[in-house]
């Protein structure tokens, strides 16, 4: 028979009373796997002595944070645009065409939905997200010879062939540049932001560098500033500056606060001058960087995106060393 230990356990004393109460006295040894504490209530005392754990922050993607405003139902087209299903205008067209249903019934324009609603597009359930996620914005230097469309019957290269692939949603082009125009083109995965940047009521300025075959005289200059009557309405430049030139070519900088199809070219044609080269250099507060060469894109830093979208910057997201460098890295790509 094994010998019993001659060294008895010490009874709790005043010195170690607190230790016993917390379940850490030698008599309250940790239980074996599947067993129970050797001293009654010791494990429970130890559990109660520990401070409660702080709630872990919700995990999410880039810039995801709660939005209390979305606790109430929101308009269908706004919610679907926020998750990148399409622009608000496209979604409204889909609603009219009967391609969207809510809880098994055809959706209606202006209908509001909440977290408990089931929304389907072409019969496929759409996962709704009732949190605000900072949109992604790409700044792209479009070269001449690319079309701003996903598909082209003529088989010409499109700007979308150079962009990174999204796992969810899709890239939405903010405005357009025609086939022979180069320069700044913005893309976002958020339909609400795209609408904010394109809608005429926001009057975001577009700035272009224009090379003309010839030079403007005072009468032509005044006409372009006061307004030119085009087939789709009156158009005018908010500013024109002479940038000089040599020979037959002359450069100008012009700004306007709308983006109709081929508007800049048509305005100069209306006063008898031909545009030999056209390049967009600014869209609203976003300026084309000289570092961003043709065919390259970069992702806009999150703080700038929040400012552009009118969103508060998500709290509690300390930047890690080198994070800002990664966000503004330039990407040289070739069409897929």
């Amino acid at each position: 028979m094994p010998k019993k230990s001659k060294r008895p356990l010490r009874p709790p004393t005043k010195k170690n009373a607190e230790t016993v109460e917390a379940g850490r006295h030698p008599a309250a040894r940790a239980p074996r796997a599947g067993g129970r504490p050797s001293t009654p209530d010791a494990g429970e005392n130890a559990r109660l002595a520990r401070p409660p754990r702080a709630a872990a922050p919700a995990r999410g993607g880039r810039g995801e944070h709660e939005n209390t405003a979305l606790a109430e139902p929101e308009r269908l087209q706004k919610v679907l645009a926020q998750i990148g299903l399409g622009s608000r205008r496209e979604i409204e067209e889909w609603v009219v065409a009967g391609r969207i249903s809510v809880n098994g019934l055809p959706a209606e324009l202006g209908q509001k939905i909440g977290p408990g609603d089931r929304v389907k597009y072409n019969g496929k359930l759409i996962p709704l997200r009732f949190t605000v996620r900072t949109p992604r914005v790409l700044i792209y230097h479009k070269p001449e010879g690319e079309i701003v469309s996903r598909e082209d019957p003529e088989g010409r290269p499109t700007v979308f062939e150079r962009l990174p692939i999204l796992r969810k949603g899709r890239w939405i082009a903010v405005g357009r540049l025609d086939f022979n125009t180069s320069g700044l083109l913005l893309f976002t995965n958020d339909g609400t932001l795209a609408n904010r940047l394109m809608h005429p009521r926001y009057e975001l300025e577009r700035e272009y560098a224009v090379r003309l075959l010839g030079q403007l005289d005072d009468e032509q200059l005044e006409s372009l500033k006061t307004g030119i009557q085009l087939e789709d309405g009156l158009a005018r430049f908010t500013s024109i500056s002479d940038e000089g030139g040599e020979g037959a070519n002359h450069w100008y900088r012009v700004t306007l606060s709308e983006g109709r199809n081929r508007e800049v070219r048509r305005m100069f044609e209306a006063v008898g001058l031909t545009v030999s080269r056209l390049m967009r250099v600014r869209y609203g507060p976003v300026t084309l960087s000289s570092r961003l060469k043709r065919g390259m894109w970069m992702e806009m830093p999150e703080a700038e995106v929040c400012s552009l979208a009118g969103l508060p910057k998500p709290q509690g997201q300390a930047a890690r060393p080198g994070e800002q460098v990664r966000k503004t890295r330039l990407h040289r790509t070739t069409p897929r």
Side-chain angles (χ1 to χ4, degrees):
M1 175 179 284
K3 294 182 179 181
K4 293 184 179 181
S5 173
K6 295 181 180 180
R7 187 177 179 182
L9 290 173
R10 291 181 299 167
T13 61
K14 184 177 181 180
K15 185 176 181 180
N16 59 13
E18 294 181 1
T19 306
V20 174
E21 186 179 1
R24 295 192 296 272
H25 188 265
R29 293 187 177 93
R32 296 178 180 178
R36 301 177 60 185
S38 58
T39 299
D41 298 329
E44 180 67 14
N45 288 338
R47 184 182 66 80
L48 294 175
R50 290 193 297 267
R53 291 184 179 181
R59 292 188 177 184
R62 175 179 182 266
E64 187 171 304
H65 53 291
E66 291 183 359
N67 181 13
T68 55
L70 287 179
E72 297 295 328
E74 288 283 348
R75 290 185 182 272
L76 173 68
Q77 59 266 38
K78 178 179 179 180
V79 176
L80 297 185
Q82 284 177 336
I83 64 175
L85 187 65
S87 67
R88 291 194 187 189
R89 181 176 299 177
E90 288 175 321
I91 294 167
E92 289 171 357
E93 292 174 353
W94 297 337
V95 169
V96 173
R99 299 172 67 180
I100 297 179
S101 66
V102 178
N103 300 327
L105 299 175
E108 299 177 358
L109 287 177
Q111 181 175 356
K112 292 187 176 183
I113 58 172
D117 291 315
R118 291 172 59 84
V119 179
K120 292 184 178 181
Y121 170 67
N122 286 342
K124 183 178 179 180
L125 186 65
I126 302 299
L128 302 179
R129 184 177 67 238
F130 284 84
T131 56
V132 165
R133 183 186 180 94
T134 305
R136 292 181 65 186
V137 176
L138 299 185
I139 304 171
Y140 177 57
H141 188 161
K142 176 192 174 297
E144 295 93 342
E146 290 183 353
I147 188 171
V148 186
S149 177
R150 297 183 185 278
E151 297 179 359
D152 181 48
E154 301 178 28
R156 293 173 293 182
T158 80
V159 293
F160 292 95
E161 294 174 355
R162 293 186 184 263
L163 305 184
I165 297 175
L166 287 175
R167 289 184 297 175
K168 293 182 179 179
R170 63 173 185 166
W171 293 117
I172 302 170
V174 177
R176 291 176 176 268
L177 292 176
D178 64 47
F179 187 70
N180 294 317
T181 301
S182 64
L184 176 63
L185 189 60
L186 299 178
F187 294 89
T188 180
N189 64 338
D190 185 273
T192 301
L193 176 57
N195 180 71
R196 178 188 178 96
L197 296 174
M198 290 187 288
H199 201 283
R201 74 170 176 266
Y202 295 107
E203 297 186 340
L204 285 183
E205 275 193 345
R206 286 85 157 160
E207 183 176 347
Y208 294 84
V210 188
R211 188 178 70 185
L212 299 178
L213 292 175
Q215 189 171 349
L216 290 169
D217 58 32
D218 292 340
E219 184 179 350
Q220 292 169 324
L221 192 63
E222 186 62 26
S223 297
L224 292 169
K225 285 184 176 181
T226 55
I228 297 288
Q229 188 64 44
L230 303 176
E231 57 268 25
D232 53 355
L234 192 68
R236 70 182 187 89
F237 292 129
T238 54
S239 69
I240 306 176
S241 61
D242 191 328
E243 300 295 315
E246 296 180 356
N249 293 313
H250 206 87
W251 283 95
Y252 292 89
R253 288 274 183 134
V254 300
T255 60
L256 68 168
S257 56
E258 57 184 3
R260 285 183 265 171
N261 183 40
R262 300 185 70 255
E263 187 172 9
V264 175
R265 294 181 186 273
R266 289 189 292 140
M267 289 176 68
F268 281 110
E269 289 170 359
V271 296
L273 290 172
T274 301
V275 174
S276 60
R277 189 176 174 191
L278 183 60
M279 180 179 183
R280 185 157 66 196
V281 295
R282 181 170 62 86
Y283 195 106
V286 185
T287 302
L288 184 64
S289 170
S290 59
R291 297 172 55 228
L292 198 65
K293 307 303 180 185
R294 295 183 188 182
M296 299 177 68
W297 62 268
M298 61 180 284
E299 184 149 2
M300 183 180 289
E302 186 175 1
E304 295 180 22
V305 174
C306 290
S307 176
L308 187 67
L311 296 173
K313 187 175 180 181
Q315 300 296 317
Q317 294 188 359
R320 296 187 297 271
E323 185 176 10
Q324 187 71 8
V325 176
R326 288 195 298 273
K327 286 184 178 179
T328 56
R329 186 161 59 95
L330 307 181
H331 300 264
R332 186 180 298 277
T333 60
T334 55
R336 292 190 290 272

